[in-house]
Amino acid sequence: TDTQGGRVHLYSGNGANQSVPGTVMDTAGNQASTSVGPINIDAVAPTIAVTNVAAGGIYTLGAAPAAGCTASDGVSGVAAPCKVTVSGGTANGVGTYTVTATASDNAGNSATTSLTYRVVYRWDGFLQPVNDTAHQVGTSTSIFKGGSTVPMKFQLKTAAGAIVQANVLSTWLTPVKGSTVAAPVDESVYSDTGSAGGTYAWDSTGQQYQYNWSTKGVAAGFYYRVGVRLDDGQTHDVNVGLRWELFQPYRDEL
């Protein structure tokens, strides 16, 4: 501010080593000039980004990358490397995770960003006696005898193939009837007791989950989509057929 006119120079542009010139004159006409500075202004927060994992990304258990972050500030500079925290997930490592990254610049401005990603089991398909055509090349859809029991089995694995157990029992999905089936029965007849309740059971001997779907009272002659909902948030299904066996009459040997 000069003493003559009381002028005030307001400077708000971001940048380092800025200056404001000023001139003053006394009543005798003498004039003097000066420059005020350096003036450093930084009103902008740092630029920050999460690295290694993508927003909405899905990674297999045991192969999820470690989240990181980068930060930059073109005015006053970053005060310290950005910090990243990861929260969420379940006891065995699957589930939804939230990554939060923070950083501050030398002017005290801070920035925060976050994203979520998911970790899921490795899924190799349903096990025999069901043909999982999505994972078994060259196989046809399994056709079971109507009224029999269909053993639905699967295993959960890490990316490296190690078998793991879920945190909670997996949910049995109510079969959905589809189109009619003309193919003959091509699977063995199973008469095991049907499973009760709405979850798969853990078989410690076979290291697998199993649900015995009793098809008594279920309309035969159709394909059905049967499946499972896992605690990693994923749903998997497979098509099987139900058909009444057609018995040909015995013929006398001539």
Side-chain angles (χ1 to χ4, degrees):
T1 303
D2 64 43
T3 57
Q4 282 258 309
R7 292 189 299 270
V8 175
H9 296 276
L10 180 62
Y11 211 92
S12 60
N14 287 298
N17 297 316
Q18 303 177 80
S19 62
V20 177
T23 302
V24 66
M25 183 181 295
D26 63 18
T27 56
N30 301 306
Q31 180 175 297
S33 298
T34 189
S35 178
V36 178
I39 300 172
N40 299 318
I41 300 176
D42 182 1
V44 180
T47 299
I48 189 170
V50 174
T51 59
N52 300 335
V53 293
I58 298 178
Y59 305 94
T60 305
L61 180 64
C69 65
T70 60
S72 62
D73 187 276
V75 184
S76 64
V78 177
C82 64
K83 297 180 180 179
V84 63
T85 59
V86 180
S87 60
T90 57
N92 70 356
V94 301
T96 300
Y97 288 83
T98 299
V99 181
T100 302
T102 59
S104 299
D105 62 21
N106 288 302
N109 304 303
S110 61
T112 300
T113 189
S114 64
L115 58 79
T116 60
Y117 67 92
R118 290 169 56 199
V119 175
V120 301
Y121 301 107
R122 171 176 145 182
W123 175 261
D124 293 340
F126 288 94
L127 303 175
Q128 289 293 322
V130 172
N131 293 337
D132 192 327
T133 56
H135 296 84
Q136 297 167 319
V137 178
T139 60
S140 56
T141 301
S142 294
I143 310 297
F144 291 89
K145 178 184 177 181
S148 66
T149 300
V150 179
M152 299 294 299
K153 307 175 184 180
F154 65 86
Q155 293 176 322
L156 302 176
K157 300 178 181 180
T158 67
I163 297 173
V164 295
Q165 284 186 253
N167 300 283
V168 296
L169 293 176
S170 302
T171 303
W172 165 254
L173 299 181
T174 302
V176 179
K177 185 169 69 174
S179 59
T180 57
V181 56
V185 173
D186 59 6
E187 296 289 353
S188 299
V189 176
Y190 297 88
S191 57
D192 297 348
T193 302
S195 296
T199 58
Y200 285 74
W202 170 250
D203 173 9
S204 58
T205 302
Q207 292 289 289
Q208 62 192 8
Y209 288 92
Q210 181 168 342
Y211 189 96
N212 290 330
W213 176 35
S214 174
T215 64
K216 292 180 180 180
V218 179
F222 297 91
Y223 288 105
Y224 287 85
R225 186 171 71 249
V226 294
V228 60
R229 180 179 295 112
L230 305 175
D231 64 339
D232 65 357
Q234 299 286 87
T235 296
H236 302 282
D237 54 52
V238 64
N239 289 326
V240 299
L242 294 181
R243 186 128 192 267
W244 295 117
E245 274 190 316
L246 301 178
F247 294 95
Q248 297 295 331
Y250 288 104
R251 300 177 63 182
D252 293 333
E253 295 290 333
L254 296 178

